[in-house]
Amino acid sequence: MYDENGRQYLDCINNVAHVGHCHPDVVNAANEQNQLLNTNSRYLHDNIVDYARRLSKTLPEKLCTFYFLNSGSEANDLALRLARQHTKHTDVIVLDHAYHGHLTSLIDISPYKFRNLEGQKDWVHVAPIPDTYRGIYREDHKDLVTAYANEVKEIIEQAHKKGRKIAAFFVESLPSVAGQIIPPAGYFQKVAEHVHKAGGVFVADEIQVGFGRVGKHFWAFQLQGEDLVPDIITMGKPIGNGHPVACVATTKEIAESFAATGVEYFNTFGGNPVSCAIGLAVLDVIEKEHLQAHAMQVGNFLMELLNQQKVKHPIIGNVRGAGLFIGVDLIKDQEKRTPATEEAEYLITRLKKEYILLSTDGPGRNVLKFKPPMCFSVQDAKLVVDAMDKILTDMEKEAACEPVGDLES
């Protein structure tokens, strides 16, 4: 990225510009379609059909009905409506620290937001985040999957005792705001089993992590195993490389339940010709430039470099990730794993002075988050890690001479 003075910055966090800022193929697709036709979605256009067909090829066959919208928040709001209409239930289970969007309905199911606002609604149930590094069950537990899934089972049982019924389990396939969390494989399957038994549906929020970012698979939920098929998937952010477009994919059965109300779903700009042309161009670029494989290669290289830094710098407690979705957990001490919040803020501030854009996440704001555009290279990875190494070394020298609290001086 470049500022108004032409200074170049390395962007390590912008997962919205999925295939790269202002990718010429995406820009050209938008420009060409804009010159030809853009109109509202009451007028059927080939692009929306072509785009739905292309997306369907990346998903399990069961997910065959698509709704197009303009933002991830709109997508998650619709997913909530679909779940409630299909199940005839109201309550929702979410993970702690989750964030699903800025609409009123989504603030209500986002602990990251509602804890600082009006609090938790009685129809919202919060399950522990399956964080194997600093969660309630950690890496030394003999069966993390069952332990965390049983927490959801217990929530369902308690809800039933109060006469409440579960409509959906809503989850980011890889929780991001919570600190770049990688749930243990098999956890979603066990949770889905409990949720389905209770008459609810499983909603996978892929807004931050879909479209090849995790490298090994096109969708992050697929990291859990081939036997997991969510009932609803939501997409946003990277889907349009910065253009406002989003999508909900679901089953024919859920779509029919939604249509049975007799009230049509209409979205003026959702799936308009320009948005779909852009969506198609993004898919083309991912395929043409082999960005999914690239994410795997570069992500593995970056993880290797960061783990080398973990050995060198005690402040790095944990490095976790998949493809180009990586978290670096900074700690004050190895035993208690106390979040190194001030140190993390100091580090990203220093990096910005080196023209490197990195940010923090997690409840303690101590997890360095890597979610760069997918064109991020091995050279970029080496540049940012070398800069981190130098800054952390300086911090250690300063800490040896003065208290940690004086770092910002």
Side-chain angles (χ1 to χ4, degrees), residues 292-358:
Q292 184 180 330
H294 180 78
M296 186 76 165
Q297 177 195 358
V298 178
N300 287 344
F301 179 73
L302 178 54
M303 287 273 285
E304 183 181 336
L305 293 182
L306 291 168
N307 275 307
Q308 290 170 7
Q309 294 300 306
K310 179 175 178 287
V311 174
K312 184 176 180 180
H313 301 290
I315 193 173
I316 299 178
N318 184 246
V319 177
R320 51 185 177 260
L324 285 173
F325 178 90
I326 296 171
V328 181
D329 202 312
L330 301 187
I331 58 174
K332 290 181 181 290
D333 59 274
Q334 295 285 341
E335 186 179 345
K336 294 182 180 178
R337 302 180 179 180
T338 308
T341 306
E342 296 82 7
E343 292 85 349
E345 180 63 27
Y346 178 80
L347 175 59
I348 63 171
T349 301
R350 280 279 303 270
L351 283 170
K352 188 176 179 183
K353 292 178 180 177
E354 301 289 334
Y355 305 107
I356 296 172
L357 303 178
L358 194 61

Side-chain angles (χ1 to χ4, degrees), residues 117-358:
L117 294 169
E118 297 176 1
Q120 185 173 339
K121 300 290 194 295
D122 58 3
W123 53 270
V124 177
H125 309 274
V126 180
I129 188 91
D131 179 351
T132 61
Y133 180 67
R134 59 170 68 253
I136 60 173
Y137 307 111
R138 299 186 176 183
E139 66 272 14
D140 56 352
H141 194 281
K142 62 181 180 181
D143 190 353
L144 287 163
V145 167
T146 301
Y148 276 114
N150 280 347
E151 293 289 328
V152 177
K153 182 182 180 183
E154 175 66 18
I155 285 172
I156 293 170
E157 289 172 354
Q158 291 302 315
H160 286 173
K161 286 178 182 178
K162 297 176 183 177
R164 309 199 68 91
K165 294 182 178 180
I166 305 300
F169 177 77
F170 231 100
V171 65
E172 298 165 272
S173 298
L174 296 177
S176 179
V177 171
Q180 307 289 97
I181 306 301
I182 311 295
Y187 167 70
F188 284 174
Q189 288 92 323
K190 278 194 177 292
V191 168
E193 184 181 329
H194 298 318
V195 172
H196 288 150
K197 188 176 179 181
V201 299
F202 189 101
V203 182
D205 178 340
E206 288 273 338
I207 291 165
Q208 296 264 20
V209 292
F211 293 88
R213 174 162 297 280
V214 299
K216 189 176 181 181
H217 299 284
F218 197 79
W219 302 105
F221 75 82
Q222 293 169 323
L223 291 169
Q224 291 282 311
E226 292 183 4
D227 55 335
L228 174 73
V229 180
D231 301 295
I232 302 172
I233 290 177
T234 59
M235 315 166 204
K237 285 186 171 68
I239 190 172
N241 208 53
H243 180 83
V245 59
C247 180
V248 175
T250 190
T251 66
K252 184 179 179 182
E253 293 75 20
I254 292 175
E256 287 176 348
S257 294
F258 192 57
T261 62
V263 179
E264 69 166 341
Y265 177 76
F266 177 69
N267 189 306
T268 303
F269 298 111
N272 69 72
V274 170
S275 291
C276 290
I278 289 170
L280 284 162
V282 169
L283 291 178
D284 287 342
V285 172
I286 292 171
E287 290 181 11
K288 183 176 72 173
E289 299 183 6
H290 308 289
L291 291 182
Q292 184 180 330
H294 180 78
M296 186 76 165
Q297 177 195 358
V298 178
N300 287 344
F301 179 73
L302 178 54
M303 287 273 285
E304 183 181 336
L305 293 182
L306 291 168
N307 275 307
Q308 290 170 7
Q309 294 300 306
K310 179 175 178 287
V311 174
K312 184 176 180 180
H313 301 290
I315 193 173
I316 299 178
N318 184 246
V319 177
R320 51 185 177 260
L324 285 173
F325 178 90
I326 296 171
V328 181
D329 202 312
L330 301 187
I331 58 174
K332 290 181 181 290
D333 59 274
Q334 295 285 341
E335 186 179 345
K336 294 182 180 178
R337 302 180 179 180
T338 308
T341 306
E342 296 82 7
E343 292 85 349
E345 180 63 27
Y346 178 80
L347 175 59
I348 63 171
T349 301
R350 280 279 303 270
L351 283 170
K352 188 176 179 183
K353 292 178 180 177
E354 301 289 334
Y355 305 107
I356 296 172
L357 303 178
L358 194 61

Side-chain angles (χ1 to χ4, degrees), residues 27-140:
V27 172
N28 289 339
N31 185 39
E32 289 174 9
Q33 186 59 52
N34 248 324
Q35 292 183 72
L36 185 63
L37 172 72
N38 196 27
T39 185
N40 75 61
S41 52
R42 285 213 184 275
Y43 299 87
L44 189 61
H45 190 274
D46 284 350
N47 282 3
I48 193 170
V49 179
D50 293 343
Y51 190 33
R53 185 177 291 120
R54 282 283 296 280
L55 281 174
S56 71
K57 291 178 181 178
T58 70
L59 289 164
E61 187 176 349
K62 170 183 165 184
L63 298 165
C64 58
T65 303
F66 298 83
Y67 299 87
F68 291 99
L69 317 93
N70 308 295
S71 73
S73 289
E74 277 192 22
N76 279 340
D77 180 72
L78 177 59
L80 187 57
R81 290 178 59 194
L82 288 167
R84 285 175 164 169
Q85 179 61 35
H86 180 66
T87 64
K88 299 297 190 288
H89 299 168
T90 301
D91 289 23
V92 176
I93 302 173
V94 294
L95 295 181
D96 205 359
H97 313 301
Y99 175 63
H100 292 291
H102 64 81
L103 301 180
T104 301
S105 61
L106 305 176
I107 295 292
D108 286 345
I109 63 169
S110 299
Y112 169 70
K113 290 292 186 181
F114 71 59
R115 293 200 194 285
N116 298 311
L117 294 169
E118 297 176 1
Q120 185 173 339
K121 300 290 194 295
D122 58 3
W123 53 270
V124 177
H125 309 274
V126 180
I129 188 91
D131 179 351
T132 61
Y133 180 67
R134 59 170 68 253
I136 60 173
Y137 307 111
R138 299 186 176 183
E139 66 272 14
D140 56 352

